[in-house]
Amino acid sequence: TVNDPGTSLGWNDVYASGQAIINGRLDLYSKYISVDGVTGNEDAGYGIKVIATSCYAYPSAGIFAPQQISHIHLYHIEVQQCGEDVDYSDDGIYISYDSTPQTDLIISYAYVHDLSENGINLPPNLNNVIIEHTRIEHSHINDPALHGQTIQITGGPVDNITIRFNHFIDTSGTAAVSLLGTTSGTYSNIKIYGNIISTTANNSRYRFSPGAIYGGEAGTDKINISVYN
């Protein structure tokens, strides 16, 4: 930004005008990365915007981090995917699976919208996660072979996960926050608070089954799960 450009050497204030647009996918292949658009809240004003350009190639995600990636911080980023009812897995933010524990993931002040599957997909073997002040909007699954969530935690073990002060609007699938339990391992120390889950459509298009917040029973223990405010 004009107020915080880092060193003035080589800097021009025009660099801070308008929005930084990434057409395609933002891939993060190294640890200890912080991406910060500086501005943006709810559905407007984001300094960085990722716009999907390929909707039928795996993994179709606006932001993708592969296996064994820790210490990733994302702030003030908008992700626009290919739209509702796309007949392909189309996630907003996708953290890939691995047997190596991953730690320290922050998603703060993000706007993720127009999805056909998961807003945010998190893997097992994960700890120390904060998802906050994030708006996920317009997610609907047309293909019966797909099964999405607004926020999906695929399986345990996971520990110390905080999901707070978010706004989920017109999304559908298993749940707004889903602890799927598709792998063995414990879900522990999860706090879900201060969130708003709502729909603007007075019909069955945007609905959750079995619930807005759900914990699967297959093969996992759940310890110290708090849902409040």
Side-chain angles (χ1 to χ4, degrees):
T1 64
V2 172
N3 294 328
D4 185 16
T7 177
S8 59
L9 181 65
W11 172 261
N12 187 320
D13 284 351
V14 72
Y15 298 155
S17 63
Q19 190 177 54
I21 301 293
I22 298 172
N23 288 303
R25 191 176 78 201
L26 174 60
D27 287 347
L28 305 173
Y29 283 99
S30 298
K31 300 178 182 179
Y32 297 98
I33 291 180
S34 177
V35 182
D36 191 348
V38 181
T39 63
N41 185 35
E42 283 285 343
D43 61 349
Y46 288 86
I48 297 173
K49 182 175 182 178
V50 180
I51 302 175
T53 57
S54 176
C55 305
Y56 298 96
Y58 175 83
S60 179
I63 299 175
F64 174 74
Q67 300 170 349
Q68 303 178 355
I69 298 301
S70 294
H71 310 289
I72 299 294
H73 299 173
L74 306 173
Y75 306 98
H76 299 285
I77 301 175
E78 179 179 351
V79 177
Q80 177 182 311
Q81 283 300 96
C82 296
E84 301 177 284
D85 299 322
V86 173
D87 291 332
Y88 198 85
S89 173
D90 185 24
D91 293 358
I93 300 173
Y94 188 99
I95 311 299
S96 185
Y97 301 3
D98 190 77
S99 59
T100 302
Q102 302 175 39
T103 188
D104 184 23
L105 170 66
I106 298 174
I107 300 171
S108 182
Y109 289 98
Y111 177 37
V112 181
H113 57 98
D114 296 305
L115 308 154
S116 69
E117 197 166 22
N118 302 306
I120 299 173
N121 185 86
L122 301 180
N125 299 300
L126 185 67
N127 62 78
N128 298 325
V129 175
I130 297 174
I131 300 172
E132 63 180 5
H133 302 291
T134 288
R135 176 165 169 158
I136 303 177
E137 186 172 18
H138 291 152
S139 172
H140 188 261
I141 301 162
N142 187 51
D143 187 343
L146 299 178
H147 200 63
Q149 288 68 232
T150 313
I151 294 178
Q152 170 176 300
I153 304 177
T154 305
V158 294
D159 181 63
N160 194 23
I161 312 292
T162 299
I163 299 172
R164 64 189 180 190
F165 311 135
N166 302 292
H167 199 178
F168 307 138
I169 309 169
D170 291 342
T171 61
S172 61
T174 300
V177 178
S178 183
L179 316 180
L180 280 189
T182 56
T183 64
S184 61
T186 299
Y187 287 88
S188 57
N189 302 311
I190 296 178
K191 296 180 176 63
I192 303 168
Y193 62 90
N195 302 287
I196 298 173
I197 303 168
S198 64
T199 180
T200 62
N202 187 21
N203 55 43
S204 61
R205 177 175 177 81
Y206 302 110
R207 60 187 294 271
F208 302 116
S209 177
I213 298 171
Y214 167 71
E217 65 274 16
T220 61
D221 295 323
K222 296 173 181 65
I223 301 171
N224 195 22
I225 311 296
S226 301
V227 180
Y228 55 99
N229 291 350

